[in-house]
Amino acid sequence: MAPAPQLASVLTVVPGRELGDGPYPGLAASLVALAREVTTSGIPQEVERAIDGGPRLRLIATPIGPLSLAETALCVVEVPNPRDDRDRLNRIVDGIPHQLALLDSSGKIVTTNRTWRETAMGHGATTEQAGAIGLNYLEACEPDPAQPPARVATADHGDASIEEIRAGLAQLVAGERDSLEVEYPCHSHDEERWYLMHAARIASPPEVVVTHFDITRRKRAELRLRELADHDPLTGLLNRRGLAVALEREAQRARRQGHACAAVLMDCDDFKTVNAIHGHAVGDALLTAIATRTARALRPYDVLGRVGGDEFILLLPELSAPQAAKAAERVRRTVAGTPFELKGARLNHSVSMAVVALDPRASSIEAILRDAHGALLRAKTTTKNCVVTA
């Protein structure tokens, strides 16, 4: 009768634990039986055993040296449960505070996290719709043919259309690029929101992770800073910097389309007297009221800005100087037609205006002021409350 095998060594991947039975009830008996079989045959063996109330184990036995020594090296490995791995991954993904979806190689959504689902339900989706499982993300990005092409900001291409974004995602799914990053607006009827979408490809299996970050607070701060940089804080109109940008835009359009463009320099008559008699608070209110009346008399695409003090500039696209003079006269009548009721003061106030025909090839705010100031000074030293052409 062959002697019982000696358990020469036990190797384990369970750190810090000695394996006899160890944490696994009945393990030692299985190991001894396996070692006896390997020692007798001399052939390495690998089997799996289910432990009551515990994980599934892989037992690996290899004979060491001559059979006469009856020595066997044993290794015990816990076999991962795929379901446990998926559950753990889902818990990790659900803990991410940003919207996340995983796309398969055809672009279909195979999983989403809790934030994605909660956001969708907050926008009116049902519980079934919120998960979006099975929805083809590329088809969801198809542009609406009834809407004009939307443009969004991308990290690598500047402004891009929705069609280009969809093409970028399709390249990711096809393995033709590694990542894509886009900023886009997602406004509702009662709230403005912006998101940053980051998409990255996973090589194996071929999938794409899409994450949406809410950047609304940052975008609002950026827009506010831009507004402060381009707008007059008192009247809310464009300031000199904002006017320069608008002038360049209109000059380019005039050059491209070959139409005329004119500007008007408008100055409030006797404004210093208003400040001296009624105070600066009334003077500021008067400037704001004049700006409001002037804007009301202009076309939607005309541009109005304040260049400092009591001076304003009007940019009038597609109008020659004579046509612009008629538009300026309409503004003059609107401003002077009704007294201003401001902080207990009743003021009859007027403006004087000088019209300048713009050269689309060499126009600037400084050139408008230079060309119009002489004519405006002549108007203010004679009749005031009038329109002149420089």
Side-chain angles (χ1 to χ4, degrees):
M1 184 173 181
Q6 300 297 313
L7 208 58
S9 60
V10 176
L11 308 178
T12 177
V13 294
V14 182
R17 290 178 177 171
E18 187 70 20
L19 265 178
D21 261 356
Y24 311 115
L27 175 63
S30 296
L31 289 174
V32 170
L34 182 62
R36 182 180 292 113
E37 181 179 346
V38 169
T39 301
T40 303
S41 66
I43 300 173
Q45 298 285 336
E46 180 175 329
V47 297
E48 290 190 5
R49 294 284 187 271
I51 302 299
D52 291 340
R56 191 169 184 81
L57 301 178
R58 180 177 295 120
L59 312 181
I60 305 170
T62 305
I64 299 177
L67 288 177
S68 60
L69 294 179
E71 293 184 344
T72 302
L74 299 169
C75 181
V76 180
V77 182
E78 288 191 7
V79 179
N81 186 328
R83 181 184 180 87
D84 292 341
D85 287 347
R86 286 195 299 272
D87 290 345
R88 181 171 179 270
L89 177 60
N90 287 337
R91 289 195 299 272
I92 293 172
V93 169
D94 280 343
I96 297 174
H98 309 289
Q99 299 175 54
L100 183 146
L102 183 66
L103 315 183
D104 66 13
S105 57
S106 68
K108 288 184 179 179
I109 297 176
V110 295
T111 190
T112 57
N113 71 343
R114 180 186 294 115
T115 305
W116 180 294
R117 298 188 293 272
E118 290 177 348
T119 302
M121 292 175 69
H123 294 168
T126 64
T127 303
E128 293 75 17
Q129 293 169 335
I133 306 302
L135 174 70
N136 191 295
Y137 196 81
L138 300 183
E139 293 176 1
C141 292
E142 287 283 2
D144 184 349
Q147 298 295 326
R151 314 271 325 163
V152 294
T154 64
D156 48 0
H157 297 113
D159 283 349
S161 67
I162 296 299
E163 292 90 339
E164 290 167 333
I165 301 307
R166 184 188 181 284
L169 287 170
Q171 290 173 339
L172 273 172
V173 169
E176 298 171 4
R177 65 186 299 166
D178 295 325
S179 64
L180 177 69
E181 194 164 282
V182 202
E183 291 182 7
Y184 67 96
C186 184
H187 305 323
S188 65
H189 67 281
D190 59 352
E191 184 182 7
E192 289 187 329
R193 293 183 302 270
W194 288 264
Y195 289 92
L196 168 67
M197 184 195 78
H198 179 82
R201 178 175 170 78
I202 302 173
S204 180
E207 294 175 322
V208 174
V209 178
V210 179
T211 312
H212 297 263
F213 303 87
D214 189 335
I215 57 171
T216 300
R217 293 179 62 182
R218 193 200 83 196
K219 291 298 291 186
R220 284 176 178 164
E222 289 177 358
L223 292 173
R224 178 59 179 158
L225 289 173
R226 189 180 304 166
E227 182 178 354
L228 290 174
D230 293 343
H231 289 75
D232 170 47
L234 175 63
T235 62
L237 300 177
L238 292 175
N239 59 17
R240 186 181 293 237
R241 181 178 182 275
L243 276 169
V245 173
L247 177 60
E248 176 59 26
R249 181 179 64 245
E250 292 303 332
Q252 288 180 0
R253 199 158 67 93
R255 289 194 296 269
R256 186 170 58 251
Q257 299 179 2
H259 60 63
C261 188
V264 179
L265 178 62
M266 182 175 78
D267 187 276
C268 301
D269 296 330
D270 301 319
F271 183 72
K272 290 182 179 179
T273 303
V274 174
N275 276 338
I277 295 175
H278 300 282
H280 288 279
V282 172
D284 288 348
L286 178 61
L287 289 174
T288 302
I290 288 174
T292 300
R293 286 193 184 182
T294 301
R296 197 180 302 141
L298 295 176
R299 300 170 298 177
Y301 49 86
D302 291 333
V303 179
L304 173 62
R306 182 184 176 209
V307 288
D310 59 343
E311 287 188 336
F312 299 81
I313 283 182
L314 291 65
L315 300 179
L316 306 177
E318 303 180 22
L319 295 185
S320 64
Q323 292 170 325
K326 292 180 180 179
E329 178 61 25
R330 183 173 63 250
V331 170
R332 184 197 66 77
R333 291 196 304 268
T334 300
V335 171
T338 307
F340 293 91
E341 303 284 351
L342 304 168
K343 298 183 179 296
R346 182 181 175 85
L347 303 176
N348 289 293
H349 205 80
S350 63
V351 293
S352 296
M353 311 174 80
V355 178
V356 179
L358 295 182
D359 180 357
R361 295 165 299 178
S363 292
S364 66
I365 298 300
E366 289 70 24
I368 294 173
L369 294 174
R370 181 190 65 237
D371 295 343
H373 260 140
L376 190 63
L377 182 61
R378 290 193 301 273
K380 291 179 69 68
T381 55
T382 53
T383 61
K384 298 182 182 179
N385 191 23
C386 64
V387 176
V388 297
T389 299

